[in-house]
Amino acid sequence: VLDVPLRDRNELLMAAGYGAMYRATDLDAPALEQACRALDFMLRQHEPYPAIVVDRCWNLLKANGGAVRLVEAFADPDAAAEWGGNAMRLMFHPRGFRPHIVNWEAMAAGLIQWLHRDVLHGLGGDDSRRLLEEFLAYPGVPPRWRSLDLDVSTAPFLPIEFRKNDLHLRFFSTLTSLGTPHDITLQELRVETFFPADADTEEASRRLA
């Protein structure tokens, strides 16, 4: 009734003296083969546009060619270890996408609120909290981002505009989760897909591919 996440249901059961009911299966395990095939199909079908799969802490688990090309085009290749395969950090890090996002403050304000909600709901645990604290300590982050803003729009898509030299791309992204999962790993997965916001971006994406 409360729609408590599966991971938290296990904690409640164990606190009451019962055993855990839900498994957290490794994504590469045979039991999740069909789910992985579905995820790979989604990423492949979204080409040439970027698409990624992240876990509850926004760690990158899967990416299609479009996502790889986006990173190669806009992120500092020598700073890959600094953003550490985390999709959220890639957006905020000074040597990641941040210098090349035209509407960075508007876009990042929305992402910060997503992260605030993750922390509020306990999604990602201490890792999400540390990630939020890290981003809020970056230079140029407005003080108003330090608290959850319930008035911020939770629109189903998030616009983002990249520019570097002559390359100019405009996308909006959507976040999707799997329906009625019975495994903790599957419940915590999120698929982010980037769609071209104009004809120029559509053509440029095909040209890059």
Side-chain angles (χ1 to χ4, degrees), residues 7-194:
R7 184 181 296 273
D8 294 335
R9 294 186 201 184
N10 276 351
E11 292 181 2
L12 290 171
L13 287 166
M14 289 187 290
Y18 299 100
M21 181 180 294
Y22 301 97
R23 296 179 303 174
T25 309
D26 190 274
L27 194 59
D28 295 327
L32 298 189
E33 181 181 358
Q34 288 185 331
C36 283
R37 288 179 61 191
L39 292 170
D40 290 339
F41 179 82
M42 293 171 66
L43 298 186
R44 187 170 60 251
Q45 292 299 110
H46 199 66
E47 292 282 6
Y49 314 118
I52 59 175
V53 179
V54 296
D55 65 11
R56 67 190 185 124
C57 297
W58 298 89
N59 294 311
L60 190 63
L61 301 179
K62 291 177 176 288
N64 69 355
V68 172
R69 291 188 292 272
L70 192 67
V71 172
E72 291 174 345
F74 292 103
D76 185 343
D78 297 326
E82 296 179 26
W83 61 270
N86 185 279
M88 189 75 81
R89 185 180 287 115
L90 177 61
M91 291 289 186
F92 279 86
H93 198 281
R95 298 179 67 187
F97 283 159
R98 178 175 174 176
H100 307 294
I101 299 178
V102 177
N103 62 330
W104 183 82
E105 184 164 333
M107 184 279 308
L111 290 182
I112 277 287
Q113 293 306 316
W114 271 105
L115 199 51
H116 270 298
R117 288 184 174 85
D118 283 353
V119 171
L120 180 66
H121 297 147
L123 189 59
D126 291 338
D127 289 338
S128 289
R129 189 178 300 277
R130 282 192 292 267
L131 203 60
L132 178 60
E133 292 173 352
E134 175 188 335
F135 296 159
L136 293 175
Y138 283 168
V141 171
R144 65 181 181 277
W145 290 3
R146 297 187 177 279
S147 58
L148 174 64
D149 186 352
L150 296 176
D151 294 326
V152 169
S153 171
T154 55
F157 63 88
L158 182 66
I160 180 170
E161 184 174 355
F162 296 92
R163 185 188 296 273
K164 183 179 182 181
N165 301 324
D166 295 332
L167 184 59
H168 184 200
L169 302 175
R170 296 179 67 246
F171 294 101
F172 64 88
S173 72
T174 63
L175 283 172
T176 308
S177 58
L178 299 181
T180 60
H182 294 283
D183 186 279
I184 294 173
T185 300
L186 294 182
Q187 185 182 58
E188 295 175 344
L189 291 180
R190 287 178 275 199
V191 181
E192 184 168 19
T193 48
F194 292 79

